[in-house]
Amino acid sequence: MNILSKKYVTSNISVVLLLPFMFNFIKKILNNEIILINYYLDNKNVFFLLVLNSIFYFYISRLISETFNLESLSLSLVYFFTSFFLFVFFSLTLLKGLDFQLVTGIVLFLWFSFLLIKCSSKLKVIYLLISYLIISVINHRFYFDVRNLGEYVELNTDVPVQWFGMAESIYSYNYFYTFTNNLIDGHGLFLSYIQSLVFKINFFNKEFEFLRLNSNLFLIFTLFLFLDLKINKKNKIIISTLFVSLVLNSDWLTYLFVDSLMLEGIVSLIFAIYLVNLNKHLNSNLNLSSVIFFTSFSCLFFSKQFISTLTIVIFIYLLFVKRSRNVLITLPIYFLDMIYKRIYNPEIKSFEYLNGFNYSDFILDLFFLRDLELNNIKKIIEQFIIDKPMTLLFIIFLIFNLFNFIKFGKNNFSNSLFFMTILLNIFLVLILFIAWWKDFGIQSSYRYILNTLHLVLISVFYNIDSLEENV
């Protein structure tokens, strides 16, 4: 009986893991302390629109996946979004005079036309077009309701000063205008472009403003990713429940990931989508589907600084260690961006937050341990452990990865990549704060570490699924 009990617990590790997170979440629900749930309880029309728009994005993701045999809802959705950005990026010089609305309309037309040609069921594409037109009418009908943000509180001063301005500039003018008049010198515009695009698709003729519905959709898009994971159905349900409870349990995490114009939630999600699907595209020979994958993946060059760096490191590893020649497609994209900057922004030499940065001095400081603010490591840890549930999650992440490595000798390629990528992100944050951003706000380190939150959860559940299978 004892053996059976042990086996039962081991085969249900994910359920045991979920309990401490759910306990506090349910308690907060009963006390009416979950701000997003309260918002939708008070604004049922907006919740109806959230469901309706989620169904549309699910439908278009599934149709793209079926048409091109992608076997991934989340990757299909990312391909859909990145196509708009890449269309503008590759034709920047030619289309720099076209406004954002016209470009979006052109790419939407191309998508519907391409699906109509390639999809085996033309009726599905017609249904998609009709559903989009109906949802657009309904969105505009209830726009006044959507604009009601309830008791919304802006928790970060960067949003009105930077992120809103960047997204609004893209939306009101175009990518070229914002690229040459960037609010943050050298900062990538891919994530802000996605925010502008979601608004344009949902509310085509409206002026840009922050709407909670558009940001909340990224919570739904995360569920698309979890549906794609190669784990059992029980664990798909549990990882989805855990993510929702973890994020909604904290007002700050809700704001950071799914309820503002902050970029962490979008970049963490998209980065995880690419890494989850990476293994299918590691071909030594040139392959069209892999070329498309890495072309899309390269959009993260133009995201947030740490993720951009991690993306470059991963590409270098894949090219020289895994011998994946398809990664070579990312080189002309990287250099084309450098050419654009030389032509249109010659006065900008680097990313604004790295102005005056000397790479040789930086490396020498680290090598000889000179002029380092090592006390910042302690401050970063103290800042991070304020969030007890998140600290528990990262401890679980470390335990499961180390346990699996000790027990089985090694992890599979995907989970090893997840593990090393997450650790490298933490390492980069620590290094930058002790050697360069010595007086930069330590509170920001928490956000930068959470750039890989989706990946942390996926890594945990890949390990759990492996353990449960081997019981």
Side-chain angles (χ1 to χ4, degrees):
M1 185 67 182
N2 187 43
I3 295 174
L4 290 174
S5 298
K6 184 178 178 180
K7 185 175 181 180
Y8 177 80
V9 172
T10 308
S11 62
N12 289 279
I13 298 172
S14 55
V15 178
V16 176
L17 169 64
L18 180 64
L19 292 177
F21 294 95
M22 282 300 297
F23 176 79
N24 195 43
F25 182 59
I26 293 172
K27 181 182 176 182
K28 280 198 167 187
I29 291 177
L30 295 176
N31 292 331
N32 296 317
E33 295 176 359
I34 305 297
I35 56 172
L36 208 55
I37 292 178
N38 292 340
Y39 170 69
Y40 282 113
L41 287 174
D42 293 335
N43 297 273
K44 294 179 178 60
N45 286 342
V46 184
F47 181 73
F48 166 72
L49 291 182
L50 178 68
V51 173
L52 206 59
N53 283 273
S54 298
I55 293 171
F56 166 74
Y57 284 106
F58 178 85
Y59 188 77
I60 193 170
S61 299
R62 189 174 68 175
L63 188 58
I64 292 171
S65 180
E66 291 174 353
T67 302
F68 301 104
N69 298 314
L70 299 178
E71 299 180 346
S72 171
L73 289 172
S74 57
L75 185 62
S76 300
L77 183 65
V78 168
Y79 277 1
F80 177 68
F81 286 151
T82 55
S83 66
F84 292 83
F85 179 82
L86 289 169
F87 180 83
V88 172
F89 178 78
F90 285 125
S91 56
L92 185 65
T93 303
L94 296 174
L95 302 180
K96 61 184 180 181
L98 297 184
D99 66 28
F100 179 73
Q101 178 162 304
L102 179 58
V103 171
T104 304
I106 291 171
V107 179
L108 278 174
F109 173 78
L110 291 175
W111 264 111
F112 283 118
S113 301
F114 198 49
L115 286 171
L116 201 56
I117 294 169
K118 297 291 291 183
C119 186
S120 58
S121 174
K122 312 302 179 188
L123 202 57
K124 287 184 179 180
V125 183
I126 294 172
Y127 285 156
L128 175 66
L129 179 57
I130 293 173
S131 66
Y132 176 62
L133 294 174
I134 293 172
I135 288 172
S136 295
V137 170
I138 296 173
N139 282 346
H140 283 73
R141 166 65 180 80
F142 291 100
Y143 187 68
F144 180 80
D145 298 68
V146 178
R147 293 187 68 195
N148 174 24
L149 303 183
E151 298 177 0
Y152 185 78
V153 178
E154 197 72 74
L155 299 179
N156 189 284
T157 55
D158 287 349
V159 171
V161 175
Q162 297 172 344
W163 311 130
F164 176 84
M166 291 164 73
E168 194 273 338
S169 176
I170 292 170
Y171 187 92
S172 300
Y173 300 99
N174 57 24
Y175 177 78
F176 178 80
Y177 176 86
T178 310
F179 181 77
T180 54
N181 296 274
N182 203 334
L183 292 174
I184 305 176
D185 291 345
H187 197 287
L189 295 171
F190 170 59
L191 302 175
S192 295
Y193 198 96
I194 297 298
Q195 291 175 331
S196 303
L197 177 63
V198 171
F199 189 103
K200 178 59 71 177
I201 292 172
N202 294 348
F203 304 95
F204 205 82
N205 292 318
K206 301 297 183 181
E207 293 184 3
F208 185 82
E209 59 182 310
F210 170 65
L211 302 177
R212 300 182 79 171
L213 181 145
N214 289 341
S215 294
N216 297 164
L217 279 170
F218 286 91
L219 178 62
I220 307 300
F221 299 159
T222 296
L223 303 185
F224 292 3
L225 170 60
F226 294 154
L227 280 173
D228 289 337
L229 298 180
K230 304 303 182 184
I231 57 178
N232 64 55
K233 291 181 180 179
K234 177 197 70 178
N235 285 339
K236 288 182 181 182
I237 294 171
I238 292 176
I239 190 175
S240 301
T241 306
L242 178 55
F243 180 81
V244 171
S245 62
L246 187 68
V247 170
L248 298 192
N249 189 55
S250 162
D251 292 354
W252 170 242
L253 285 178
T254 301
Y255 175 86
L256 185 64
F257 276 86
V258 298
D259 201 28
S260 72
L261 291 176
M262 296 290 283
L263 306 179
E264 279 74 12
I266 302 176
V267 77
S268 176
L269 171 61
I270 294 177
F271 188 53
I273 290 170
Y274 285 125
L275 289 193
V276 164
N277 288 277
L278 176 62
N279 207 27
K280 295 183 290 186
H281 298 280
L282 294 181
N283 304 303
S284 56
N285 298 320
L286 289 176
N287 175 281
L288 180 59
S289 65
S290 296
V291 167
I292 292 171
F293 174 81
F294 284 110
T295 300
S296 180
F297 197 166
S298 66
C299 288
L300 288 180
F301 286 155
F302 320 114
S303 59
K304 291 182 70 68
Q305 195 69 17
F306 289 102
I307 295 298
S308 299
T309 304
L310 290 172
T311 300
I312 292 171
V313 170
I314 289 170
F315 286 168
I316 292 172
Y317 169 77
L318 295 177
L319 182 60
F320 291 104
V321 178
K322 303 299 287 186
R323 304 291 182 182
S324 180
R325 294 164 60 190
N326 296 285
V327 178
L328 289 170
I329 189 63
T330 66
L331 291 177
I333 295 170
Y334 182 82
F335 288 114
L336 183 58
D337 180 63
M338 292 182 66
I339 292 170
Y340 285 154
K341 288 176 179 176
R342 287 288 183 90
I343 296 173
Y344 299 116
N345 292 321
E347 72 285 355
I348 298 173
K349 304 301 180 184
S350 67
F351 177 50
E352 182 177 295
Y353 296 153
L354 293 178
N355 282 339
F357 185 82
N358 187 301
Y359 287 95
S360 59
D361 286 347
F362 179 76
I363 293 171
L364 288 173
D365 286 346
L366 292 175
F367 185 79
F368 292 108
L369 299 178
R370 69 187 189 193
D371 196 26
L372 301 179
E373 190 60 51
L374 295 175
N375 191 49
N376 277 354
I377 296 177
K378 178 185 174 184
K379 291 179 180 178
I380 289 171
I381 294 172
E382 289 174 345
Q383 178 67 35
F384 192 85
I385 62 176
I386 290 173
D387 189 336
K388 298 296 189 295
M390 193 61 66
T391 303
L392 176 61
L393 177 65
F394 271 74
I395 291 172
I396 291 169
F397 158 75
L398 289 171
I399 290 173
F400 276 115
N401 274 281
L402 293 175
F403 178 81
N404 263 359
F405 182 79
I406 293 169
K407 185 175 178 65
F408 301 112
K410 64 177 182 178
N411 280 326
N412 60 44
F413 169 75
S414 292
N415 210 26
S416 296
L417 181 64
F418 299 164
F419 182 64
M420 296 308 298
T421 301
I422 293 161
L423 292 187
L424 180 57
N425 181 59
I426 296 171
F427 176 76
L428 290 174
V429 173
L430 294 175
I431 289 299
L432 206 58
F433 273 89
I434 67 172
W436 180 248
W437 288 347
K438 301 171 188 176
D439 301 316
F440 201 78
I442 291 293
Q443 294 86 351
S444 299
S445 63
Y446 173 81
R447 293 193 285 118
Y448 301 140
I449 291 172
L450 293 188
N451 280 337
T452 57
L453 176 60
H454 291 78
L455 214 54
V456 171
L457 272 167
I458 292 167
S459 177
V460 168
F461 276 82
Y462 269 22
N463 279 289
I464 288 175
D465 204 67
S466 176
L467 285 171
E468 291 180 347
E469 284 181 357
N470 287 285
V471 173

